[in-house]
């Protein structure tokens, strides 16, 4: 199992270390989505970051990270639940081409109006925690820098991130400076630990993040340090779209509308708006939509094409 989040703590408890490596989950997420390589990379980096950050939030619900762009990329959004299931998608702006060599700022913030949005969405049964939304400008030249800026200024936590992604995998490393029990940054020797940890981690390259397994990576970076290791956590891809939900969406259109669509084509093809998974309904499938008893209320999650 390679889709794992691994957590460590420096011996003096002043620095948190987390690493995530996603292979199968990432490929599953891309199976029905086709993006230019530069967009795919940004989506993968934000996905790894969402897992790293969600793992530190003690609540039942979802962490949603959004990059709202004013350039060729209109939106990149990742959701990671408290049990580390993920889904991710990107939307390109119609009429604008994506440059092959596009970078973070040119793709998302070419007009200076891009925004980074963090949403904490607790489950309804969790009355102890209210929904939260934070919005900041897209300051920085990478997904990692935007997140570091947000964590430092909005959460008052020194955080460093190293992220990498390609078509087959995505990976990330997080360092976070822990506050002392009084709620302030740990002084003295703990400051030295933080500086040393950042210096060691800064030697990592994207190829190592993607090419090395987590155990090898952590040993290569911190082999002289004493780290406390925690139980690894599995990460998986999950989009709640189902054929039943798409069928309910078609029922909402009504029999007359569905029959009108079928009069112009041999079948109805619907893709999930989030993960892109295709669903196909032929005339027999459509006829059954309006003849079978229904116990499930209508719920739509797709677009017809």
């Amino acid at each position: 199992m390679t889709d794992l989040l691994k957590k460590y703590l420096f011996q003096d408890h002043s620095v948190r270390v987390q690493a995530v490596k996603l292979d199968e989950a990432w490929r599953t997420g891309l199976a029905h989505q086709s993006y230019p390589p530069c967009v795919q990379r940004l989506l993968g980096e934000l996905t790894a970051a969402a897992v790293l950050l969600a793992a530190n939030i003690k609540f039942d619900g979802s962490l949603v990270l959004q990059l709202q762009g004013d350039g060729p990329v209109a939106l990149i959004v990742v959701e990671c639940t408290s049990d580390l299931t993920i889904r991710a998608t990107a939307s390109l702006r119609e009429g604008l081409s994506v440059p092959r060599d596009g970078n973070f700022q040119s793709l998302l913030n070419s007009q200076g109006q891009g925004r980074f949005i963090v949403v904490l969405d607790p489950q309804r049964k969790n009355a102890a925690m209210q929904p939260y939304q934070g919005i900041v400008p897209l300051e920085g030249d990478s997904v990692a820098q935007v997140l570091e800026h947000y964590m430092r200024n909005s959460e008052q936590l020194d955080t460093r991130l190293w992220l990498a992604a390609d078509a087959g995998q995505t990976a990330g490393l997080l360092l976070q400076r822990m506050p002392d029990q009084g709620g302030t940054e740990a002084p003295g020797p703990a400051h030295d630990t933080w500086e040393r940890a950042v210096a060691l981690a800064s030697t990592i390259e994207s190829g190592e993040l993607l090419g090395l397994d987590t155990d090898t990576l952590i040993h290569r970076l911190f082999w002289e340090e004493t780290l406390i290791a925690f139980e690894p956590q599995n990460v998986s891809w999950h989009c709640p779209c189902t054929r039943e939900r798409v069928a309910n969406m078609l029922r909402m259109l009504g029999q007359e509308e569905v029959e009108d669509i079928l009069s112009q084509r041999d079948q109805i093809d619907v893709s999930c708006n989030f993960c892109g998974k295709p669903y196909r309904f032929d005339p027999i499938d459509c006829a059954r939509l309006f003849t079978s008893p229904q116990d499930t209320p209508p719920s739509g999650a797709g677009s017809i094409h």
Side-chain angles (χ1 to χ4, degrees):
M1 175 72 178
T2 56
D3 297 334
L4 293 174
L5 171 77
K6 295 192 175 184
K7 296 183 176 183
Y8 310 85
L9 198 61
F10 270 66
Q11 189 175 31
D12 63 2
H13 290 203
S14 66
V15 178
R16 170 190 287 142
V17 182
Q18 293 179 182
V20 65
K21 183 81 175 290
L22 304 179
D23 296 306
E24 182 179 349
W26 177 234
R27 289 192 293 269
T28 299
L30 290 182
H32 306 293
Q33 305 189 82
S34 178
Y35 303 117
C38 57
V39 177
Q40 189 180 82
R41 175 176 52 81
L42 294 177
L43 182 64
E45 291 177 356
L46 193 65
T47 299
V51 174
L52 291 168
L53 295 177
N56 295 326
I57 303 173
K58 295 178 173 59
F59 81 117
D60 291 328
S62 299
L63 168 69
V64 180
L65 302 182
Q66 297 183 38
L67 297 169
Q68 289 192 356
D70 60 13
V73 180
L75 178 69
I76 296 177
V77 56
V78 177
E79 179 182 23
C80 183
T81 66
S82 48
D83 59 358
L84 300 188
T85 63
I86 55 171
R87 59 176 180 157
T89 193
S91 299
L92 306 184
R93 183 161 278 109
E94 189 173 350
L96 293 181
S97 61
V98 177
R100 181 182 295 272
D101 59 348
N103 58 36
F104 182 86
Q105 286 291 331
S106 67
L107 293 172
L108 285 157
N109 201 33
S110 59
Q111 307 301 317
Q113 300 300 311
R115 293 291 182 266
F116 173 59
I117 301 174
V118 178
V119 177
L120 291 179
D121 185 17
Q123 293 182 353
R124 292 182 180 178
K125 64 181 181 181
N126 187 350
M129 183 173 184
Q130 298 298 315
Y132 165 84
Q133 177 174 282
I135 304 175
V136 297
L138 290 182
E139 296 185 13
D141 294 325
S142 66
V143 172
Q145 288 183 14
V146 168
L147 287 164
E148 290 169 356
H149 176 266
Y150 172 82
M151 295 299 294
R152 183 171 58 253
N153 292 279
S154 299
E155 304 297 330
Q156 285 75 55
L157 284 174
D158 280 335
T159 304
R160 292 296 308 273
L161 286 157
W162 292 264
L163 306 168
D166 58 22
Q169 54 196 340
T170 180
L173 176 72
L174 173 146
L175 295 185
Q176 201 162 69
R177 186 174 177 180
M178 305 295 288
D180 66 13
Q181 293 182 352
T184 60
E185 291 179 349
H191 174 77
D192 296 336
T193 302
W194 169 251
E195 294 294 325
R196 187 170 69 253
V198 171
L200 292 171
S202 295
T203 63
I204 192 69
E205 298 180 357
S206 295
E208 292 177 295
L209 266 178
L210 295 175
L212 299 176
D213 63 83
T214 298
D215 291 338
T216 301
L217 175 70
I218 295 299
H219 177 73
R220 180 173 294 187
L221 293 175
F222 306 115
W223 64 275
E224 290 186 315
E225 307 294 332
T226 300
L227 299 181
I228 303 168
F230 297 88
E231 190 70 22
Q233 295 174 260
N234 293 330
V235 184
S236 60
W237 175 274
H238 173 69
C239 183
C241 71
T242 63
R243 186 174 180 84
E244 181 180 14
R245 289 193 173 197
V246 175
N248 287 333
M249 184 270 290
L250 292 175
R251 290 189 191 98
M252 290 179 64
L253 292 177
Q255 187 170 1
E256 183 177 347
E257 179 69 18
V258 169
E259 290 178 349
D260 183 60
I261 295 173
L262 285 174
S263 70
Q264 304 172 45
R265 60 187 76 174
D266 296 332
Q267 61 201 17
I268 297 179
D269 294 306
V270 182
S271 297
C272 172
N273 283 333
F274 207 102
C275 73
K277 184 176 181 178
Y279 295 91
R280 177 166 295 176
F281 290 78
D282 62 24
I284 294 176
D285 296 327
C286 292
R288 289 173 177 163
L289 295 176
F290 303 100
T291 58
S292 302
Q294 301 306 319
D295 298 321
T296 305
S299 174
S303 55
I304 299 174
H305 56 87

PDB file of all heavy atoms in Angstrom, residues 12-26:
ATOM      1  N   ASP A  12      12.179  16.509  20.797  1.00  0.00           N
ATOM      2  CA  ASP A  12      11.826  17.553  21.767  1.00  0.00           C
ATOM      3  C   ASP A  12      10.401  18.069  21.567  1.00  0.00           C
ATOM      4  O   ASP A  12       9.986  19.036  22.203  1.00  0.00           O
ATOM      5  CB  ASP A  12      12.825  18.708  21.713  1.00  0.00           C
ATOM      6  CG  ASP A  12      12.828  19.421  20.365  1.00  0.00           C
ATOM      7  OD1 ASP A  12      12.021  19.048  19.474  1.00  0.00           O
ATOM      8  OD2 ASP A  12      13.639  20.347  20.190  1.00  0.00           O
ATOM      9  N   HIS A  13       9.641  17.443  20.654  1.00  0.00           N
ATOM     10  CA  HIS A  13       8.231  17.757  20.394  1.00  0.00           C
ATOM     11  C   HIS A  13       8.028  19.172  19.845  1.00  0.00           C
ATOM     12  O   HIS A  13       6.926  19.713  19.925  1.00  0.00           O
ATOM     13  CB  HIS A  13       7.387  17.586  21.669  1.00  0.00           C
ATOM     14  CG  HIS A  13       7.229  16.172  22.108  1.00  0.00           C
ATOM     15  ND1 HIS A  13       6.200  15.749  22.901  1.00  0.00           N
ATOM     16  CD2 HIS A  13       7.977  15.074  21.872  1.00  0.00           C
ATOM     17  CE1 HIS A  13       6.307  14.454  23.140  1.00  0.00           C
ATOM     18  NE2 HIS A  13       7.400  14.019  22.516  1.00  0.00           N
ATOM     19  N   SER A  14       9.067  19.759  19.283  1.00  0.00           N
ATOM     20  CA  SER A  14       8.953  21.133  18.801  1.00  0.00           C
ATOM     21  C   SER A  14       8.647  21.227  17.311  1.00  0.00           C
ATOM     22  O   SER A  14       8.239  22.290  16.836  1.00  0.00           O
ATOM     23  CB  SER A  14      10.248  21.898  19.094  1.00  0.00           C
ATOM     24  OG  SER A  14      11.329  21.372  18.334  1.00  0.00           O
ATOM     25  N   VAL A  15       8.823  20.130  16.572  1.00  0.00           N
ATOM     26  CA  VAL A  15       8.612  20.153  15.123  1.00  0.00           C
ATOM     27  C   VAL A  15       7.841  18.911  14.695  1.00  0.00           C
ATOM     28  O   VAL A  15       8.218  17.786  15.048  1.00  0.00           O
ATOM     29  CB  VAL A  15       9.952  20.225  14.345  1.00  0.00           C
ATOM     30  CG1 VAL A  15       9.694  20.190  12.838  1.00  0.00           C
ATOM     31  CG2 VAL A  15      10.714  21.486  14.724  1.00  0.00           C
ATOM     32  N   ARG A  16       6.774  19.147  13.952  1.00  0.00           N
ATOM     33  CA  ARG A  16       5.991  18.061  13.371  1.00  0.00           C
ATOM     34  C   ARG A  16       6.454  17.817  11.941  1.00  0.00           C
ATOM     35  O   ARG A  16       6.690  18.760  11.175  1.00  0.00           O
ATOM     36  CB  ARG A  16       4.510  18.440  13.383  1.00  0.00           C
ATOM     37  CG  ARG A  16       3.597  17.522  12.594  1.00  0.00           C
ATOM     38  CD  ARG A  16       2.214  18.132  12.467  1.00  0.00           C
ATOM     39  NE  ARG A  16       1.484  18.090  13.723  1.00  0.00           N
ATOM     40  CZ  ARG A  16       0.681  19.051  14.152  1.00  0.00           C
ATOM     41  NH1 ARG A  16       0.536  20.155  13.436  1.00  0.00           N
ATOM     42  NH2 ARG A  16       0.025  18.932  15.294  1.00  0.00           N
ATOM     43  N   VAL A  17       6.589  16.545  11.572  1.00  0.00           N
ATOM     44  CA  VAL A  17       6.967  16.156  10.215  1.00  0.00           C
ATOM     45  C   VAL A  17       5.891  15.232   9.665  1.00  0.00           C
ATOM     46  O   VAL A  17       5.487  14.280  10.335  1.00  0.00           O
ATOM     47  CB  VAL A  17       8.324  15.416  10.189  1.00  0.00           C
ATOM     48  CG1 VAL A  17       8.718  15.072   8.757  1.00  0.00           C
ATOM     49  CG2 VAL A  17       9.407  16.237  10.871  1.00  0.00           C
ATOM     50  N   GLN A  18       5.425  15.522   8.464  1.00  0.00           N
ATOM     51  CA  GLN A  18       4.438  14.655   7.812  1.00  0.00           C
ATOM     52  C   GLN A  18       4.822  14.473   6.349  1.00  0.00           C
ATOM     53  O   GLN A  18       5.314  15.406   5.708  1.00  0.00           O
ATOM     54  CB  GLN A  18       3.030  15.242   7.902  1.00  0.00           C
ATOM     55  CG  GLN A  18       2.494  15.282   9.308  1.00  0.00           C
ATOM     56  CD  GLN A  18       1.104  15.893   9.416  1.00  0.00           C
ATOM     57  OE1 GLN A  18       0.571  16.017  10.519  1.00  0.00           O
ATOM     58  NE2 GLN A  18       0.508  16.276   8.311  1.00  0.00           N
ATOM     59  N   ALA A  19       4.582  13.277   5.852  1.00  0.00           N
ATOM     60  CA  ALA A  19       4.874  12.985   4.452  1.00  0.00           C
ATOM     61  C   ALA A  19       3.743  12.149   3.871  1.00  0.00           C
ATOM     62  O   ALA A  19       3.205  11.259   4.541  1.00  0.00           O
ATOM     63  CB  ALA A  19       6.201  12.243   4.316  1.00  0.00           C
ATOM     64  N   VAL A  20       3.377  12.452   2.634  1.00  0.00           N
ATOM     65  CA  VAL A  20       2.327  11.692   1.960  1.00  0.00           C
ATOM     66  C   VAL A  20       2.812  11.326   0.562  1.00  0.00           C
ATOM     67  O   VAL A  20       3.522  12.090  -0.093  1.00  0.00           O
ATOM     68  CB  VAL A  20       1.011  12.500   1.869  1.00  0.00           C
ATOM     69  CG1 VAL A  20       1.169  13.743   0.998  1.00  0.00           C
ATOM     70  CG2 VAL A  20      -0.132  11.633   1.368  1.00  0.00           C
ATOM     71  N   LYS A  21       2.440  10.138   0.134  1.00  0.00           N
ATOM     72  CA  LYS A  21       2.783   9.654  -1.218  1.00  0.00           C
ATOM     73  C   LYS A  21       1.542   8.951  -1.759  1.00  0.00           C
ATOM     74  O   LYS A  21       1.040   7.996  -1.160  1.00  0.00           O
ATOM     75  CB  LYS A  21       3.964   8.688  -1.140  1.00  0.00           C
ATOM     76  CG  LYS A  21       4.468   8.171  -2.495  1.00  0.00           C
ATOM     77  CD  LYS A  21       5.373   9.187  -3.147  1.00  0.00           C
ATOM     78  CE  LYS A  21       5.988   8.633  -4.440  1.00  0.00           C
ATOM     79  NZ  LYS A  21       6.978   7.569  -4.186  1.00  0.00           N
ATOM     80  N   LEU A  22       1.027   9.437  -2.880  1.00  0.00           N
ATOM     81  CA  LEU A  22      -0.180   8.872  -3.468  1.00  0.00           C
ATOM     82  C   LEU A  22       0.118   8.356  -4.866  1.00  0.00           C
ATOM     83  O   LEU A  22       0.623   9.091  -5.715  1.00  0.00           O
ATOM     84  CB  LEU A  22      -1.294   9.927  -3.544  1.00  0.00           C
ATOM     85  CG  LEU A  22      -1.696  10.606  -2.232  1.00  0.00           C
ATOM     86  CD1 LEU A  22      -2.794  11.630  -2.488  1.00  0.00           C
ATOM     87  CD2 LEU A  22      -2.132   9.580  -1.203  1.00  0.00           C
ATOM     88  N   ASP A  23      -0.191   7.101  -5.105  1.00  0.00           N
ATOM     89  CA  ASP A  23      -0.036   6.488  -6.414  1.00  0.00           C
ATOM     90  C   ASP A  23      -1.405   6.068  -6.963  1.00  0.00           C
ATOM     91  O   ASP A  23      -1.955   6.707  -7.855  1.00  0.00           O
ATOM     92  CB  ASP A  23       0.889   5.271  -6.331  1.00  0.00           C
ATOM     93  CG  ASP A  23       2.306   5.659  -5.932  1.00  0.00           C
ATOM     94  OD1 ASP A  23       2.880   6.529  -6.601  1.00  0.00           O
ATOM     95  OD2 ASP A  23       2.829   5.092  -4.967  1.00  0.00           O
ATOM     96  N   GLU A  24      -1.948   4.986  -6.404  1.00  0.00           N
ATOM     97  CA  GLU A  24      -3.226   4.457  -6.898  1.00  0.00           C
ATOM     98  C   GLU A  24      -4.354   5.471  -6.757  1.00  0.00           C
ATOM     99  O   GLU A  24      -5.150   5.668  -7.682  1.00  0.00           O
ATOM    100  CB  GLU A  24      -3.583   3.177  -6.145  1.00  0.00           C
ATOM    101  CG  GLU A  24      -4.884   2.532  -6.625  1.00  0.00           C
ATOM    102  CD  GLU A  24      -5.194   1.255  -5.876  1.00  0.00           C
ATOM    103  OE1 GLU A  24      -4.327   0.759  -5.142  1.00  0.00           O
ATOM    104  OE2 GLU A  24      -6.320   0.755  -6.033  1.00  0.00           O
ATOM    105  N   ALA A  25      -4.446   6.137  -5.612  1.00  0.00           N
ATOM    106  CA  ALA A  25      -5.516   7.104  -5.403  1.00  0.00           C
ATOM    107  C   ALA A  25      -5.432   8.246  -6.406  1.00  0.00           C
ATOM    108  O   ALA A  25      -6.453   8.708  -6.938  1.00  0.00           O
ATOM    109  CB  ALA A  25      -5.462   7.650  -3.973  1.00  0.00           C
ATOM    110  N   TRP A  26      -4.213   8.696  -6.690  1.00  0.00           N
ATOM    111  CA  TRP A  26      -4.039   9.806  -7.632  1.00  0.00           C
ATOM    112  C   TRP A  26      -4.401   9.377  -9.049  1.00  0.00           C
ATOM    113  O   TRP A  26      -5.083  10.097  -9.783  1.00  0.00           O
ATOM    114  CB  TRP A  26      -2.607  10.310  -7.560  1.00  0.00           C
ATOM    115  CG  TRP A  26      -2.257  11.413  -8.515  1.00  0.00           C
ATOM    116  CD1 TRP A  26      -1.231  11.421  -9.406  1.00  0.00           C
ATOM    117  CD2 TRP A  26      -2.918  12.674  -8.673  1.00  0.00           C
ATOM    118  NE1 TRP A  26      -1.201  12.588 -10.115  1.00  0.00           N
ATOM    119  CE2 TRP A  26      -2.229  13.386  -9.676  1.00  0.00           C
ATOM    120  CE3 TRP A  26      -4.020  13.267  -8.064  1.00  0.00           C
ATOM    121  CZ2 TRP A  26      -2.608  14.654 -10.083  1.00  0.00           C
ATOM    122  CZ3 TRP A  26      -4.405  14.547  -8.470  1.00  0.00           C
ATOM    123  CH2 TRP A  26      -3.702  15.225  -9.470  1.00  0.00           C
TER     124      TRP A  26
END
